Amino acid sequence: WANMTMVAGSQPPQGYWDDFLGDNDEILHRPIKRGEDRLFSTALAVNALIDFWTIQNASAFAWIDSVPPAVVDAVAAGAAFLQANAFSPLLKPWNVFFSGSAKGLDLPFEGFPSNFACYLNGSCIDPTTASPDAISVDLTVAMDGVVAPATYALMLERTYFNATVPPFDGWGADAGFPFWCAPVLTYAQIEFALVKV
């Protein structure tokens, strides 16, 4: 329900979520929001909220007792948006299920903050004190858990494997952002969401 944008004047109330496709673009140095993954992001959010806050009784979903009313309202608004816009020519059914950005050993571990670094044999190291020589194909480096925004801001200032975190200028700031998209995945997510409400 966080970060949902409500559609003004819609009846019944409609709301949607955007991720990043089309929301970090510029035309003549002015930001523009295209919401190119709006349908997929909304369907995914509706599915996630339903799956988290319901139980399945026989062939129907029932909200658990502790569900916040704002979640029920957000699901209803998201579902109403999907029903009204699933095949709108104004919205793209885009999503990103694989990007062409750097992957594998070419993506430096110091490219992002991390608090988890363990080898396949189970031994772990501290990414803030480990040397670059500790990096190998047997090492998994990740972020474990949820970090408060203030803590994450501090993590951006630290070094990881003796390297500073480079600034993030946005996706495709200096080059294109190749990605693979499957509209059928978007439509499947929409269908999954709408049959649950």
Side-chain angles (χ1 to χ4, degrees):
W1 63 94
N3 301 322
M4 178 182 228
T5 302
M6 297 303 293
V7 178
S10 60
Q11 213 41 259
Q14 295 179 21
Y16 61 85
W17 288 268
D18 279 345
D19 202 350
F20 70 94
L21 276 184
D23 279 3
N24 198 26
D25 297 338
E26 289 185 359
I27 293 180
L28 300 174
H29 305 290
R30 294 176 62 193
I32 184 168
K33 288 191 177 249
R34 292 188 173 110
E36 292 166 333
D37 58 7
R38 184 169 295 162
L39 291 171
F40 179 76
S41 299
T42 301
L44 196 62
V46 167
N47 278 309
L49 290 171
I50 290 172
D51 291 347
F52 187 82
W53 291 102
T54 64
I55 55 173
Q56 190 170 2
N57 293 330
S59 62
F61 289 89
W63 294 107
I64 62 174
D65 293 337
S66 60
V67 63
V71 170
V72 177
D73 293 344
V75 167
F81 178 84
L82 292 172
Q83 285 178 318
N85 295 285
F87 299 106
S88 169
L90 302 176
L91 294 173
K92 294 180 177 5
W94 287 6
N95 55 67
V96 174
F97 67 87
F98 181 80
S99 72
S101 57
K103 302 284 189 288
L105 291 178
D106 292 338
L107 177 64
F109 288 128
E110 67 271 12
F112 55 92
S114 55
N115 61 7
F116 176 91
C118 294
Y119 293 97
L120 294 177
N121 68 9
S123 62
C124 297
I125 58 175
D126 182 349
T128 62
T129 59
S131 85
D133 296 334
I135 298 172
S136 77
V137 294
D138 294 334
L139 181 65
T140 299
V141 178
M143 186 62 103
D144 184 26
V146 178
V147 179
T151 302
Y152 188 76
L154 293 172
M155 292 177 80
L156 290 172
E157 302 301 320
R158 297 173 107 181
T159 60
Y160 300 87
F161 297 95
N162 204 29
T164 58
V165 177
F168 178 70
D169 296 322
W171 298 107
D174 296 325
F177 178 68
F179 64 91
W180 284 256
C181 175
V184 68
L185 182 61
T186 297
Y187 292 123
Q189 285 293 327
I190 291 170
E191 186 175 351
F192 289 149
L194 294 179
V195 298
K196 294 177 188 176
V197 292

